[in-house]
Amino acid sequence: MTMNAKTIGLLAAGATVTTALPASIMIGAARNANKTIGVPASLAHVLTNDKLDNNGKVLAEQTKECFKDTLKLGGIAAGTGAAAALLSGSSAKAAKLFNSAKGKISGFLSKINYKGKSVKDIIKNTKIFQKYNSLPAPAKVGVAVAAAVIAIATPIASLVSAQKAGYIEGQHEVK
């Protein structure tokens, strides 16, 4: 099925209505009952928390902190990937180490099956992998290391971001 802009727009509008309408009804009901909903620091909780001095300001501060953390994580991943690419391009020993790691990961993925096919075979036939495979070796190393940094650091960054959001909400509660 091919989708044109109109079809995509209608799907997006439908998704917005089906999620926003129940959410707004829930938030309205919670406000009428003088209760908050959701986990502290969540969007629903901030919107229904009548103890905040300015709900919009709280959301703006939380969003700003989240974007700052995301940019930091992206910068760390890009910097680490670039350093790994430079290192593998200038050191035969480093290139050998990265090739060895690639071989081990490839072997691990070939042992995992999904619907009768190995994950390695499934990944191998994707356009993204084919483009990745056409890159020079140092670029492959850089992309792989950056992806690994993101995969490892994202759960930690999510926890930190949630803690910051809770702290920001607490700072704005009228005692």
Side-chain angles (χ1 to χ4, degrees), residues 84-136:
L86 288 172
L87 181 64
S88 71
S90 62
S91 167
K93 196 173 190 178
K96 186 177 176 182
L97 174 73
F98 289 122
N99 265 343
S100 172
K102 179 183 167 189
K104 288 179 183 175
I105 292 169
S106 176
F108 174 73
L109 292 176
S110 65
K111 293 177 185 174
I112 301 171
N113 289 313
Y114 178 73
K115 294 186 178 182
K117 279 188 156 182
S118 76
V119 173
K120 178 183 174 185
D121 290 337
I122 293 169
I123 293 171
K124 189 167 59 173
N125 295 326
T126 63
K127 288 182 182 179
I128 292 173
F129 183 78
Q130 290 168 356
K131 287 181 181 182
Y132 172 79
N133 227 11
S134 68
L135 295 172

Side-chain angles (χ1 to χ4, degrees), residues 15 25 34 46-48 51 69 72 75 92 102 121 123 127 143 148 155 157 169 173-174:
I25 291 169
N34 291 326
V46 171
L47 289 174
T48 57
K51 296 177 187 169
D69 290 345
K72 283 179 195 172
K102 179 183 167 189
D121 290 337
I123 293 171
K127 288 182 182 179
V143 169
E169 183 179 358
E173 281 195 359
V174 178

Side-chain angles (χ1 to χ4, degrees), residues 53-85:
D53 57 7
N54 185 337
N55 300 59
K57 186 176 179 182
V58 171
L59 289 175
E61 284 183 36
Q62 288 174 333
T63 303
K64 179 181 171 185
E65 280 300 315
C66 183
F67 281 137
K68 283 175 29 183
D69 290 345
T70 301
L71 289 174
K72 283 179 195 172
L73 177 59
I76 290 168
T80 307

Side-chain angles (χ1 to χ4, degrees), residues 31-47:
R31 283 195 169 240
N32 289 338
N34 291 326
K35 294 183 178 180
T36 57
I37 60 173
V39 178
S42 69
L43 176 64
H45 193 270
V46 171
L47 289 174

